[in-house]
Coordinates of all heavy atoms in Angstrom, one line a residue:
E45 N 8.9 -31.9 -20.7 CA 10.0 -31.4 -19.9 C 10.9 -30.4 -20.8 O 11.4 -29.4 -20.2 CB 10.8 -32.5 -19.4 CG 11.9 -32.1 -18.5 CD 12.7 -33.2 -17.9 OE1 12.5 -34.4 -18.4 OE2 13.6 -33.0 -17.0
Q46 N 11.0 -30.8 -22.1 CA 11.8 -29.9 -22.9 C 11.3 -28.5 -23.0 O 12.1 -27.5 -22.9 CB 11.9 -30.5 -24.3 CG 12.7 -31.8 -24.4 CD 12.0 -33.0 -23.8 OE1 10.8 -33.0 -23.7 NE2 12.8 -34.0 -23.4
A47 N 10.0 -28.3 -23.0 CA 9.4 -27.0 -23.1 C 9.6 -26.3 -21.8 O 9.9 -25.1 -21.8 CB 7.9 -27.1 -23.4
R48 N 9.6 -27.0 -20.6 CA 9.8 -26.3 -19.4 C 11.3 -25.9 -19.3 O 11.6 -24.8 -18.8 CB 9.5 -27.3 -18.2 CG 9.7 -26.6 -16.8 CD 9.0 -27.4 -15.7 NE 7.6 -27.3 -15.7 CZ 6.9 -26.3 -15.3 NH1 7.5 -25.2 -14.8 NH2 5.6 -26.2 -15.4
L49 N 12.2 -26.8 -19.7 CA 13.6 -26.4 -19.7 C 13.9 -25.2 -20.5 O 14.8 -24.4 -20.2 CB 14.4 -27.6 -20.2 CG 14.5 -28.8 -19.3 CD1 15.2 -30.0 -20.0 CD2 15.2 -28.5 -18.0
A50 N 13.2 -25.0 -21.6 CA 13.4 -23.9 -22.5 C 12.7 -22.6 -22.0 O 13.0 -21.5 -22.5 CB 12.9 -24.2 -23.9
G51 N 11.7 -22.8 -21.1 CA 11.0 -21.6 -20.6 C 11.8 -20.7 -19.7 O 12.7 -21.2 -19.0
A52 N 11.4 -19.5 -19.7 CA 12.2 -18.5 -18.8 C 11.3 -17.8 -17.9 O 11.7 -16.8 -17.2 CB 12.9 -17.5 -19.7
G53 N 10.0 -18.2 -17.8 CA 9.0 -17.4 -17.0 C 8.8 -17.9 -15.6 O 7.9 -17.4 -14.9
Y54 N 9.5 -19.0 -15.2 CA 9.3 -19.6 -13.8 C 7.8 -20.0 -13.7 O 7.2 -19.8 -12.7 CB 9.7 -18.7 -12.7 CG 11.1 -18.2 -12.8 CD1 11.4 -17.0 -13.4 CD2 12.1 -19.0 -12.3 CE1 12.7 -16.6 -13.5 CE2 13.5 -18.6 -12.4 CZ 13.7 -17.3 -13.0 OH 15.1 -16.9 -13.1
L55 N 7.2 -20.7 -14.7 CA 5.8 -21.1 -14.7 C 5.6 -22.2 -13.6 O 5.8 -23.4 -13.9 CB 5.4 -21.6 -16.0 CG 4.8 -20.5 -17.0 CD1 5.8 -19.4 -17.3 CD2 4.3 -21.1 -18.2
G56 N 5.1 -21.8 -12.5 CA 4.6 -22.7 -11.4 C 5.8 -23.3 -10.6 O 5.5 -24.1 -9.7
E57 N 7.0 -22.9 -10.8 CA 8.1 -23.5 -10.2 C 8.3 -23.0 -8.8 O 7.9 -21.9 -8.4 CB 9.4 -23.4 -11.0 CG 9.3 -24.1 -12.3 CD 10.2 -23.5 -13.4 OE1 10.8 -22.5 -13.2 OE2 10.1 -24.0 -14.6
I58 N 9.1 -23.7 -7.9 CA 9.5 -23.2 -6.7 C 10.8 -22.4 -6.9 O 11.8 -22.9 -7.5 CB 9.9 -24.4 -5.7 CG1 8.6 -25.1 -5.3 CG2 10.6 -23.8 -4.4 CD1 7.6 -24.3 -4.5
V59 N 10.7 -21.1 -6.6 CA 11.9 -20.3 -6.8 C 12.6 -20.0 -5.4 O 11.9 -19.8 -4.4 CB 11.5 -18.9 -7.5 CG1 11.0 -19.2 -8.9 CG2 10.5 -18.2 -6.7
G60 N 13.9 -20.0 -5.5 CA 14.7 -19.8 -4.3 C 16.1 -20.0 -4.6 O 16.5 -20.4 -5.7

Side-chain angles (χ1 to χ4, degrees):
E45 183 179 10
Q46 290 72 24
R48 181 166 292 281
L49 290 172
Y54 304 96
L55 267 63
E57 294 153 2
I58 293 292
V59 295

